[in-house]
Amino acid sequence: MDYEHYFKDALASIKGEGRYRIFLDIRRERGSFPKATWHKDDGTQSEISVWCGNDYLGMGQNEDVLARMKEVAEVAGTGSGGTRNISGTTIYHKELEAELSDLHGKDAALVFSSAYIANDATLSVLPKLLPGLIIFSDELNHASMIEGVRRGKCEKRIWRHNDVEHLEELLKASDPEAPKLIAFESVYSMDGDFGPLKEVVALAKKYNAMTYLDEVHAVGLYGPRGGGVAEELGLLDQIDIFNGTLGKAFGVFGGYIAASREICDAVRSFAPGFIFTTSLPPAIAAAGAKSVRILKNSPELRQKHQESAAYLKVRIRNLGLPLMESPSHIVPLHVGDPKICKRISDMLLEEFGIYVQPINYPTVPRGTERLRFTPSPVHSEADIAHLIHALDSLWARCELNRADIAV
């Protein structure tokens, strides 16, 4: 049997649709981010500006975080040497979990190798801990949440995105004696909209359901201490389980949940995704703890981040480009065709040194393909002006729609 034939056909299909992903080899340069060096396949190099990264605040180059990482690497070495259960729990992991539980106002936290694994492991094990559990999941939840719910093999109800009336219909129609959990996000990263936290919390109380909130694109960025949208709204004590990441606003690596001591202990004891995974390197854990501590006391950086995003939106809107309106720091620009989206992305890179990946299906629905910009406090006004000039030029050259749309 020609097994290779199947792989070639699968790749040919996505290439034909214009949504084959090509990785760009870059080297970020400390102290100059968002500038980076693009290492091309032909062996040449050129300077580019990164506009699609999730290091939202530039903490990946923070000198204090770097110093802490170096200090612990010199003391503890590189890897942890084991799973958390077998020699892989260090004082640095415990320090990080203490910082994270404090950030979310919870008794405990549990660190994973990524927020994806944290979602998958936690949501898949909860049905085993709560027999008869029904999970109510927003239809636009992240793939990691969807996968966790799927692997949990419990009853699930998918509610229309941010539609709390539909959520209540589903809750009302379910067995009142069954345990329930509502899983949703605070910031949906592709559209940039907020989840209806207050309304969901109210429904959870009314129907005796637990709440599971993914704050991956909000931790470090919202709230007085960077505790996310729930902190900003004064709802930290109303959410049962938080999911977050160290790889975005905190600029390091890893994911976590924060919850009651009993919930974290149960997940620690029963979730294979935690039990059988090598723990974070101690230097990474220590750097994560340092970054969390810094951002707890950096409201001015969060303010500057919001101002940068708002300014870019104004500049794009003034050009009449099809900005997908979002209340958050995410700046999505509608294109609507995967091949054109890839073409614009390529031209931005090759002609203007601007790196922004096309966002195509299955990440977003067909027909809503877009460029997703993530401005940060380290993007200067000159960087924004250069981006605006490039977009204006390419939209004219490609004769693309300039009418504002609502998607």
Side-chain angles (χ1 to χ4, degrees), residues 144-162:
S144 58
M145 301 174 76
I146 294 170
E147 182 64 11
V149 173
R150 185 191 69 80
R151 291 202 312 108
K153 297 180 180 178
C154 65
E155 284 192 55
K156 64 178 183 290
R157 308 282 188 270
I158 309 301
W159 47 292
R160 290 188 294 270
H161 179 54
N162 280 354

Side-chain angles (χ1 to χ4, degrees), residues 67-80 84 87-100 111 246 279-290 292-293:
R68 181 60 175 159
M69 182 181 289
K70 291 176 183 176
E71 175 189 4
V72 174
E74 288 291 337
V75 171
T78 53
S80 68
R84 288 291 296 274
S87 82
T89 295
T90 70
I91 58 172
Y92 308 108
H93 295 87
K94 301 302 288 185
E95 173 192 26
L96 174 57
E97 288 173 343
E99 289 290 349
L100 293 169
V111 172
L246 298 159
S279 66
L280 291 183
I284 296 294
K290 184 67 174 180
V292 173
R293 278 196 298 273

Side-chain angles (χ1 to χ4, degrees), residues 220-241:
L221 304 177
Y222 296 89
R225 299 197 310 154
V229 177
E231 184 194 26
E232 188 160 292
L233 297 176
L235 298 173
L236 286 180
D237 61 337
Q238 304 297 304
I239 302 296
D240 293 293
I241 306 174

